[in-house]
Amino acid sequence: MKKNLIVGQSGGPTAVINGSLYGVVTEAMRHTEEIGEIYGMINGIEGFLNGHMMDMRSLIETNELALLRTTPGSYLGSCRYKLPEDLNDPVYPLLFNKFTSHGIGYFFYIGGNDSMDTVSKLSRYAKKINSDIRFIGVPKTIDNDIFGTDVTFGFHTAVDIATDALDRLHTTANSHSRILLCEIMGNKAGWLTLSAGIAGGADIILIPEIPYDIDKVCKSVQKRSESGKNFSIVAVAEGCFDKEEAKMKKKERTRLRQEAGITTATNRIAAQIQQKTGLEARVCVPGHMLRGGSPSAYDRVLATQFGVYAAELIREEHYGMSVAKVGGTITANKLDDIAGKTKFVSPDDQLVQTARNLGISFGD
Ligand code: F6P
């Protein structure tokens, strides 16, 4: 018997998140025996709870579907809505009653770690009540910190944007003999800062996984200055912290920074460099620009591959799967194996070693 499919997007958008939506919908339309209606959640699971949905087949009539491949931002809107850990919470029967009333048999969610956690909880609840609804996660994040996959779509385009920012900072750094610090997104993991730092010619890369010693950061800057280099470029992950803060819990770190009136680690590092070395320092924060603009060709292909593969998974008798790219192959992980886990940069990672071999300092 045909069942209906629903797809939603959540978390921070990427330049190419709609590419995966395009893949899911176009592949779903091929499964004419299994799939009836194809619905889109407006603003993720939160919007679905409020009854906000749309018929995705309407995009065919208006020829808009193909445009999704190159339209940045979440076409279906987004949300940051975490389902409760307790599967006895009344929100679960409320959601499953809505699924039943719309004849949903397949649920696809495109998002980051929190979204994969959402799909994991829904699929565990489905097992608990013997529901036959299948739940598929399509991981996306510019942070590339989803466990179990080599890469997520959006990351590659964000590396391009951050690299372009670092390239452009060299102009002023050189002309004004300054230390230019660029704060790059990545609250938990430093993949984006590490990759763009290498590509963009940073002299110092600071990431959350390698707590820094500000005196060693200043020493690197001074060493460059003494060797005749009149500027330095520092790529700073927004979530990085120093060795003292590494001994604290995140809440403590945040509280102390707020009390000191520090908005981001980068502003404090710039002030410390200026004060300790006497060299002028300036901060640039590309921020949410890293999630916008035209997606790279690599990301367009990857997002579409993820979306198509996700829709193919409905043939499998699987509960709770999440699409992945491992060793060059598009595959899938059990959500229970990856949900709630973050893929951190190991200090022994080959990319870290490459940077060190290039003479890049991690402030450690
Ligand atoms: O998770 C992706 C991300 O862009 C992080 O890199 C960043 O810290 C966070 O989202 C920002 O979230 P928001 O868009 O809610 O400010």
Side-chain angles (χ1 to χ4, degrees), residues 115 120 169 218 288 311:
S115 309
S120 174
L169 288 176
C218 292
H288 293 75

Side-chain angles (χ1 to χ4, degrees), residues 262-280:
I262 296 161
T263 49
T264 70
T266 315
N267 290 331
R268 182 180 62 186
I269 295 166
Q272 289 171 315
I273 289 174
Q274 236 174 215
Q275 187 250 326
K276 290 173 179 281
T277 68
L279 295 166
E280 261 197 316

Side-chain angles (χ1 to χ4, degrees), residues 1-4 25-38 57 106 314-315:
M1 184 182 75
K2 281 190 182 184
K3 290 175 186 163
N4 298 332
V25 175
T26 44
E27 179 61 25
M29 288 191 304
R30 285 174 6 95
H31 294 269
T32 49
E33 297 78 44
E34 300 100 332
I35 295 176
E37 298 309 320
I38 302 175
R57 287 188 190 279
Y106 310 103
I314 62 171
R315 293 184 193 281

Side-chain angles (χ1 to χ4, degrees), residues 136-197:
I136 307 287
V138 187
K140 70 86 203 146
T141 175
I142 64 167
D143 297 348
N144 194 26
D145 62 356
I146 301 267
F147 191 82
T149 181
D150 296 344
V151 66
T152 49
F153 54 82
F155 171 68
H156 191 276
T157 305
V159 171
D160 284 350
I161 299 167
T163 300
D164 182 57
L166 289 167
D167 285 349
R168 294 170 187 271
L169 288 176
H170 277 76
T171 309
T172 295
N174 195 7
S175 61
H176 289 56
S177 298
R178 280 175 175 164
I179 314 303
L180 264 293
L181 296 92
C182 184
E183 180 172 295
I184 296 168
M185 280 186 157
N187 240 331
K188 298 178 195 162
W191 294 106
L192 184 49
T193 304
L194 176 57
S195 304

Side-chain angles (χ1 to χ4, degrees), residues 201-327:
D203 305 298
I204 298 170
I205 296 176
L206 304 180
I207 59 176
E209 296 91 337
I210 303 177
Y212 65 87
D213 174 339
I214 190 61
D215 291 325
K216 291 190 175 166
V217 171
C218 292
K219 196 172 166 199
S220 299
V221 163
Q222 279 168 319
K223 194 173 162 195
R224 275 182 54 84
S225 175
E226 286 151 15
S227 69
K229 307 280 193 321
N230 68 322
F231 70 91
S232 288
I233 301 289
V234 187
V236 185
E238 62 177 330
C240 77
F241 43 83
D242 66 28
K243 288 189 183 299
E244 285 314 302
E245 291 176 314
K247 299 168 191 164
M248 305 171 192
K249 290 203 181 307
K250 184 169 182 177
K251 273 189 181 158
E252 177 71 359
R253 278 204 301 270
T254 307
R255 184 181 62 77
L256 287 174
R257 284 187 184 179
Q258 281 166 350
E259 283 173 7
I262 296 161
T263 49
T264 70
T266 315
N267 290 331
R268 182 180 62 186
I269 295 166
Q272 289 171 315
I273 289 174
Q274 236 174 215
Q275 187 250 326
K276 290 173 179 281
T277 68
L279 295 166
E280 261 197 316
R282 290 289 187 277
V283 174
C284 163
V285 184
H288 293 75
M289 286 190 282
L290 297 169
R291 301 196 317 215
S294 177
S296 70
Y298 175 87
D299 264 345
R300 294 179 199 187
V301 173
L302 184 64
T304 310
Q305 281 185 298
F306 270 38
V308 166
Y309 191 86
E312 282 176 343
L313 282 175
I314 62 171
R315 293 184 193 281
E316 315 285 330
E317 289 297 321
H318 287 304
Y319 280 102
M321 298 301 285
S322 166
V323 180
K325 182 168 188 174
V326 179

Side-chain angles (χ1 to χ4, degrees), residues 101-150:
S101 67
H102 292 292
I104 303 298
Y106 310 103
F107 177 101
F108 290 78
Y109 214 39
I110 304 166
N113 275 313
D114 288 348
S115 309
M116 296 305 105
D117 177 60
T118 293
V119 184
S120 174
K121 285 166 181 169
L122 289 172
S123 63
R124 277 183 276 131
Y125 185 79
K127 265 187 201 169
K128 182 170 180 268
I129 62 168
N130 293 319
S131 158
D132 61 358
I133 301 177
R134 291 190 197 133
F135 293 85
I136 307 287
V138 187
K140 70 86 203 146
T141 175
I142 64 167
D143 297 348
N144 194 26
D145 62 356
I146 301 267
F147 191 82
T149 181
D150 296 344

